[in-house]
Amino acid sequence: GIQVEQSPPDLILQEGANSTLRCNFSDSVNNLQWFHQNPWGQLINLFYIPSGTKQNGRLSATTVATERYSLLYISSSQTTDSGVYFCAASYSSASKIIFGSGTRLSIRP
Amino acid sequence: DAGVTQSPTHLIKTRGQQVTLRCSPKSGHDTVSWYQQALGQGPQFIFQYYEEEERQRGNFPDRFSGHQFPNYSSELNVNALLLGDSALYLCASSTRRASLNSPLHFGNGTRLTVT
């Protein structure tokens, strides 16, 4: 089955800094998503990105499916960006989705 | 447009009891998946329901069972609760009809505490 590994496990930054979160997956996938879990436990879908690059405001993501990795970029970090970022992958939405263990991001004011 | 809704938000049960958690998918979605998230870990896949049948299952014992209704809503049942079942239970919905690949949308979860 698919293995998903995320790095780094923890990241502490000052407000305004930029960050890059990485997700490696063990097999070819057709479904790759990034989520943000806020301190209240709510999981928000950031990107559905099985390949290519997408941008949404200060966030962008790139997936290189042939090399089995995805990157999430956060620019000009704000304290509200704090939380845990998860990468999740599956062969398709019809198959089970496997989550990585997450990157815990803390943005200091 | 209502998103994924789960109930209850919090629940406290005693070891050995049974619990039922409920989920209504996002409008237009027909597939419901359940996840268990222990403290400090990523969500773990329990099972997925489509067309009222369990389609995929993760590594969870038979104490975990589910159901999907004709209106696509779903229930997760856990029997003979153990202390280790304490976790945040998340429901996610997606659409299987339009495409084989669609993003997941999560509810806010039910936090279950077993004492």
Side-chain angles (χ1 to χ4, degrees), chain A residues 10-11 84:
Chain A
D10 295 279
L11 193 54
V84 184

Side-chain angles (χ1 to χ4, degrees), chain A residues 25-32 49-52 62-70:
Chain A
F25 40 93
S26 62
D27 205 348
S28 299
V29 300
N30 291 309
N31 190 324
L32 191 293
I49 186 166
S51 64
T62 295
T63 297
V64 183
T66 53
E67 297 187 23
R68 299 179 185 173
Y69 74 88
S70 183

